[in-house]
Amino acid sequence: AQKITQTQPGMFVQEKEAVTLDCTYDTSDQSYGLFWYKQPSSGEMIFLIYQGSYDEQNATEGRYSLNFQKARKSANLVISASQLGDSAMYFCAMREPYSSASKIIFGSGTRLSIRP
Amino acid sequence: SQTIHQWPATLVQPVGSPLSLECTVEGTSNPNLYWYRQAAGRGLQLLFYSVGIGQISSEVPQNLSASRPQDRQFILSSKKLLLSDSGFYLCAGRGAGGSGGETQYFGPGTRLLVL
């Protein structure tokens, strides 16, 4: 069965520093997708970045990058130059192998707090 | 791009009362639709998903049900709410394909408190 593990329940980072949020996954499938979502205190889930298992390059979206290490089954999120508005819960997620349902399973999340 | 609408934003209901939460989708046709529940400070639990009108799959046994009467409408219901049904309910959609087709986009959520 597929599983997503986020081992950091909470992190504190100084503003303007870079931060890495850890995510490891477990799957026996060759084709899968990995996601990161941000959930601020308002509760909405905001899509940040996507990495396909066959993508050779790490995904990047502005200040967000995904450090994809396939052999180690890790998909860490890197936020460069952190800002106060980055304080939120962050969830790593994985899509099941392609099917009509395309379900996504989520990790337990990491609460990131940015200090001014 | 897809937009997911949910209402109401907040709901307080007595135990034993019925529930109906509605989710509608704009910007895509034939989406996959999903209902999640999130307990306070926890991750997301997938409750139901639907790949088409009238097609509902349940992920966990529970007091809730789901229906999809139209392509872009997904409804979460209960005949009699339990205290344990309290939580934050999120609807999500995934487009049929093309740009952004890999990603699930979420609605703003409904906070349900059962007293």
Side-chain angles (χ1 to χ4, degrees), chain A residues 16-85:
Chain A
K16 299 182 184 177
E17 289 184 351
V19 57
T20 298
L21 304 181
D22 295 340
C23 173
T24 58
Y25 59 92
D26 187 18
T27 181
S28 57
D29 298 297
Q30 297 302 308
S31 176
Y32 50 89
L34 297 157
F35 306 81
W36 278 92
Y37 287 86
K38 172 184 178 181
Q39 187 179 40
S41 57
S42 60
E44 61 182 316
M45 291 288 284
I46 302 169
F47 165 72
L48 295 178
I49 198 166
Y50 168 79
Q51 178 88 40
S53 59
Y54 291 118
D55 294 340
E56 294 185 353
Q57 292 191 337
N58 287 344
T60 59
E61 289 286 349
R63 293 186 300 113
Y64 304 108
S65 61
L66 198 152
N67 184 1
F68 182 45
Q69 298 189 39
K70 194 170 182 177
R72 299 176 62 181
K73 293 188 176 178
S74 74
N76 298 341
L77 177 70
V78 180
I79 306 174
S80 62
S82 58
Q83 302 171 357
L84 295 179

Side-chain angles (χ1 to χ4, degrees), chain A residues 35 37 39 41-45 47 50 89 91 95 98-108 111, chain B residues 32 34 36 38 41-44 46 49 51 59 88 90 94 96 102-109 111:
Chain A
F35 306 81
Y37 287 86
Q39 187 179 40
S41 57
S42 60
E44 61 182 316
M45 291 288 284
F47 165 72
Y50 168 79
M89 281 289 287
F91 291 97
R95 173 182 54 78
Y98 183 77
S99 68
S100 61
S102 292
K103 292 182 286 182
I104 293 179
I105 58 170
F106 286 81
S108 56
R111 182 170 297 281
Chain B
N32 288 353
Y34 309 83
Y36 291 88
Q38 185 180 28
R42 307 292 293 276
L44 275 68
L46 179 62
Y49 66 91
V51 300
E59 286 293 290
F88 188 53
L90 286 155
R94 175 183 178 273
E102 290 290 347
T103 302
Q104 284 187 14
Y105 293 94
F106 285 80
R111 295 191 187 279

